[in-house]
Amino acid sequence: MDRTTQLTARRTDLTGPVRTSGSPLAPGAGEIVRSAPDTSEPDVYDPAAYPAASVRTAEPVRTAGPARSAASLHLRAARVLADNWTGASTVPSRGLYPHQWSWDSAFISIGLRHLSPLRAQTELETLLGAQWGDGRIPHIVFNPSVPLDAYFPSPDFWRSSTAGRAAGAPRTVQTSGIVQPPVHALAAWLVHLSDPGLSRSRGFLSRVYPHLAAWHRYLLHRRDLGGGGLVSVVHPWEQGMDNSPTWDEPLSRVTPAPARSFRRADLDHGAAEDRPTDLDYGRYVRLATDYRDGEYADGRGEFAVEDPAFNALLIASEHALARIACELGAAGTARHTRAERLTAALVDRLWDPAEGMFFCRDVRTGDLVPERSVAGLIPLLLPALPRDIAAALVRTACGPHFGLGDTTRLVPSYDLTGEAFDPHRYWRGPAWFNTNWLLERGLRLHGERGRADALRDAALWTADTSGFAEYVDPYTGEACGALGFSWTAALALDLLHEPHEPHELDEPLGHGVSPMGIGTFRHE
């Protein structure tokens, strides 16, 4: 047990333990506790409770289209989150995605912290309450009140409580068996910063830290399938960019499940031409079925890919865990060192200097996958990225393949010049708000303030005019997918409220961080 786990184990009695599931705890993890709802808290979505003065930027959002006030945008985004709040967590959208999703909740909590830090903490606590004993955080936590046919694959497909028993799946809540990108520690630290007093009084960080540490241990120890120090995803859904052309080559080895063996609920909510093809979906189902039937043991399947975005988010979250460790009175040096080691492995294994971006590596063949995806730009988020690589990523983002600041309104999910590019088909070209939020942070971190400001303004305008769409046409901003999408609204709130300068989280942990990890000063 490391020093921080020892400290947090002693602090988990701050509010009195209440188990959120019947699952065995992850190794070294403390109880996730959830205090009773604070009935004295105002309705955090009530416009009267949040006047325009509470928004950091009161001037109209700067855009090429009609100007709307920041306060008005704030209120409309807040209403989206109100509509999608279930009482303990937030669904991505009521129709297409009626359960809790892992990385969605992380992004949602980042926006919720500007409305209610308590509710943002609850969002993450609810998710962590469904963590498996081996440390994995499942990509879906199912709501038992939702009919089985409302979403596929449904809980009876995953059979988590039986097929996942050996891996420590919860006994009293149904989940999927795969994971999603590890944004959670980054989100937890930002939520803490929004109200440190509340966070400390509830013991928020002391309770979530062991769960987050166990989550990272699972990824680093069980998912280093390529042996080079990076994490592999074993299903396209794990990386989050489900239908990216990046997966076409690795997926070609997978025999699809028969079409008659499943029914796609997603086509009830979107046009078939905007969704994955039946052939691709059949391969997704086959991979998930084989993983389930293998009792969710890692390393046996046909699909294993090292992805730059997934690993970059793990590195960013390692930096965040270092800060959480400092806040809890322990040294964060080891985690900072691990993050730097992972950054070096990312460059060594996935960087292509000739192309000026990162690529996925197919672990089964050992080859890089020559498809340009927005995932290859996300490492711009990392503070220890070599300066020449950061500069090359900016050039690539602004060049003909992604069109930042030139031909596109927002950075597309896939190469504009690629054969598989489609501006409307799921992750094969449309622009998504979470990836653009990450790129905005990366640009700002590496001194590209003008480009970051322009991307921020474009994202706010597009979120507003698209009805907080799930994703949009990268050229026009036309809405695609679900409307009233939670992470779009949440990240718009964050862009509205955050100061236009690098976060302290973006500073490498070291001489520029105070002993408690809360304030920073610039390096001399």
Side-chain angles (χ1 to χ4, degrees):
M1 180 181 294
D2 64 27
R3 173 64 175 156
T4 313
T5 301
Q6 291 174 341
L7 286 166
T8 57
R10 291 200 298 270
R11 296 183 184 187
T12 55
D13 59 353
L14 288 174
T15 56
V18 177
R19 289 298 294 273
T20 58
S21 79
S23 64
L25 291 173
E31 300 274 5
I32 282 289
V33 297
R34 189 175 303 130
S35 57
D38 181 0
T39 56
S40 66
E41 181 189 32
D43 181 351
V44 298
Y45 305 110
D46 180 0
Y50 288 84
S54 70
V55 182
R56 287 181 189 260
T57 174
E59 75 274 8
V61 178
R62 300 184 303 276
T63 68
R68 304 202 188 200
S69 75
S72 175
L73 178 57
H74 166 102
L75 294 176
R76 287 193 298 279
R79 290 189 187 105
V80 169
L81 296 178
D83 290 343
N84 292 340
W85 174 252
T86 67
S89 63
T90 310
V91 297
S93 71
R94 286 288 180 179
L96 184 54
Y97 305 105
H99 302 285
Q100 183 180 25
W101 260 258
S102 172
W103 76 327
D104 290 74
S105 277
F107 287 120
I108 289 164
S109 70
I110 290 169
L112 269 179
R113 68 191 174 118
H114 301 294
L115 300 173
S116 167
L118 175 60
R119 201 161 285 189
Q121 292 176 28
T122 301
E123 183 80 36
L124 293 172
E125 290 166 346
T126 300
L127 178 68
L128 293 176
Q131 186 174 26
W132 288 30
D134 65 2
R136 81 181 74 193
I137 297 174
H139 98 296
I140 302 175
V141 181
F142 289 106
N143 182 343
S145 67
V146 173
L148 288 179
D149 62 357
Y151 182 81
F152 178 84
S154 51
D156 57 337
F157 171 88
W158 295 104
R159 305 172 198 163
S160 61
S161 59
T162 54
R165 184 180 295 120
R171 295 188 298 272
T172 59
V173 62
Q174 294 295 311
T175 76
S176 64
I178 60 174
V179 302
Q180 275 190 324
V183 199
H184 312 88
L186 187 154
W189 179 243
L190 293 178
V191 167
H192 164 78
L193 290 179
S194 66
D195 192 336
L198 174 68
S199 175
R200 292 171 188 143
S201 70
R202 296 188 69 244
F204 171 64
L205 291 182
S206 66
R207 289 181 288 108
V208 301
Y209 178 89
H211 291 264
L212 296 170
W215 168 221
H216 286 207
R217 279 197 301 274
Y218 165 77
L219 292 173
L220 292 167
H221 295 166
R222 301 282 295 276
R223 289 297 192 89
D224 181 11
L225 303 181
L230 297 183
V231 173
S232 293
V233 296
V234 299
H235 195 291
W237 291 340
E238 291 199 314
Q239 193 265 1
M241 304 178 193
D242 306 5
N243 194 40
S244 171
T246 298
W247 316 129
D248 291 354
E249 185 176 320
L251 277 176
S252 66
R253 298 188 297 267
V254 178
T255 302
R260 64 182 180 279
S261 66
F262 60 91
R263 177 189 173 276
R264 295 180 58 178
D266 64 316
L267 297 181
D268 295 339
H269 303 276
E273 59 269 22
D274 292 346
R275 304 293 298 174
T277 65
D278 286 342
L279 176 62
D280 285 335
Y281 216 91
R283 288 173 168 147
Y284 303 154
V285 172
R286 171 69 69 186
L287 281 175
T289 301
D290 291 348
Y291 194 38
R292 177 200 67 199
D293 293 348
E295 297 184 324
Y296 298 110
D298 293 311
R300 301 176 182 175
E302 298 175 85
F303 184 97
V305 175
E306 293 173 351
D307 174 76
F310 193 103
N311 281 278
L313 290 170
L314 175 61
I315 295 166
S317 281
E318 274 291 306
H319 282 299
L321 275 184
R323 286 191 165 52
I324 293 173
C326 288
E327 163 68 16
L328 295 173
T333 308
R335 291 200 175 277
H336 174 58
T337 300
R338 182 180 295 121
E340 289 189 333
R341 186 170 66 247
L342 287 168
T343 301
L346 186 74
V347 171
D348 179 61
R349 291 184 64 79
L350 304 185
W351 174 248
D352 186 328
E355 296 294 340
M357 69 179 301
F358 291 88
F359 289 95
C360 288
R361 182 176 294 277
D362 185 340
V363 171
R364 297 302 178 224
T365 66
D367 299 328
L368 292 179
V369 179
E371 296 285 0
R372 297 179 183 88
S373 159
V374 70
L377 303 177
I378 298 301
L380 192 63
L381 179 72
L382 302 178
L385 198 66
R387 186 169 299 178
D388 61 326
I389 291 180
L393 285 175
V394 173
R395 288 194 298 271
T396 300
C398 297
H401 299 295
F402 295 95
L404 173 64
D406 183 17
T407 58
T408 57
R409 190 173 295 277
L410 294 178
V411 177
S413 52
Y414 178 66
D415 182 3
L416 297 169
T417 69
E419 291 185 9
F421 174 78
D422 184 328
H424 290 174
R425 191 179 286 275
Y426 204 63
W427 288 110
R428 300 178 83 85
W432 293 70
F433 290 89
N434 62 332
T435 55
N436 278 269
W437 180 86
L438 292 166
L439 290 174
E440 191 270 352
R441 290 180 69 97
L443 289 166
R444 202 170 298 284
L445 168 65
H446 290 284
E448 296 285 345
R449 181 168 181 169
R451 288 189 171 99
D453 285 345
L455 182 56
R456 168 189 177 270
D457 291 342
L460 289 172
W461 183 87
T462 307
D464 187 10
T465 58
S466 71
F468 302 99
E470 181 181 2
Y471 53 97
V472 298
D473 183 306
Y475 292 116
T476 67
E478 175 190 350
C480 302
L483 300 182
F485 200 71
S486 289
W487 80 26
T488 303
L491 296 177
L493 281 171
D494 194 62
L495 291 172
L496 275 176
H497 283 262
E498 277 301 287
H500 306 309
E501 59 189 36
H503 285 272
E504 64 180 79
L505 181 62
D506 299 322
E507 292 281 340
L509 185 65
H511 298 94
V513 183
S514 70
M516 291 302 289
I518 296 173
T520 65
F521 51 90
R522 296 296 175 190
H523 297 277
E524 296 297 332

